[in-house]
Amino acid sequence: MALLCVADAMCRHSALQEVVAKNDRCQHSAASSLLNMICDAVVDLDEGLTMKRHFAKFANMLMVGPGKSLKAVCIEDYVLRKDGQEQVRNVIESNVRGHDGSGPSTGMFTGVLRDAMGNQIRTVFYHVPYISLGG
């Protein structure tokens, strides 16, 4: 009887994990779609501020050559000045913690990116932390 209870609990846990993962994918997709409508380029960053995959729109905006992938490249590599890099990191880290310690919050800030040709691109950054319910 105990074996059946454990198996039943394992099945319920597995089903719950599947539902949470599907919900996370749907919410992430919805947020990405909305951001893509209002932004020139959208990138998904990990905790180290590196890009999780190649983002073609962002690569085109920065005039990165077609043979170069932005996957695992730090966003700070394209921020013009050291103080700008620190601003990007500080604002994003602050948004992830939450301004009053209550949890993640969205934010907007301005900065200057540098494209592959050395041109300056004045930019408005919108940071939207996404925390997966599945962990």
Side-chain angles (χ1 to χ4, degrees):
M1 189 58 96
L3 182 60
L4 291 176
C5 291
V6 170
D8 183 51
M10 287 174 57
C11 288
R12 278 188 272 143
H13 180 71
S14 177
L16 178 62
Q17 282 183 317
E18 188 175 321
V19 168
V20 167
K22 185 175 181 178
N23 186 43
D24 282 349
R25 285 190 301 273
C26 289
Q27 287 184 10
H28 189 272
S29 178
S32 293
S33 294
L34 180 61
L35 288 170
N36 272 306
M37 287 190 321
I38 61 172
C39 299
D40 293 324
V42 175
V43 296
D44 196 1
L45 305 174
D46 65 15
E47 297 82 20
L49 302 184
T50 60
M51 292 175 241
K52 292 185 176 182
R53 62 178 178 80
H54 178 74
F55 295 90
K57 282 183 174 182
F58 192 59
N60 290 338
M61 187 173 115
L62 297 174
M63 293 193 262
V64 173
K68 183 173 182 190
S69 173
L70 292 179
K71 182 178 180 178
V73 173
C74 186
I75 188 86
E76 293 172 309
D77 293 351
Y78 290 99
V79 176
L80 185 62
R81 293 181 299 276
K82 183 73 173 159
D83 60 334
Q85 293 171 354
E86 290 171 4
Q87 177 195 22
V88 168
R89 182 166 294 278
N90 290 340
V91 169
I92 290 175
E93 287 175 354
S94 172
N95 288 345
V96 170
R97 282 191 312 271
H99 301 290
D100 59 1
S102 62
S105 61
T106 59
M108 179 185 89
F109 58 98
T110 59
V112 181
L113 294 174
R114 173 191 42 82
D115 70 13
M117 304 297 289
N119 299 310
Q120 295 182 17
I121 306 168
R122 294 189 188 279
T123 307
V124 176
F125 294 91
Y126 296 94
H127 178 248
V128 181
Y130 180 80
I131 307 300
S132 171
L133 293 175

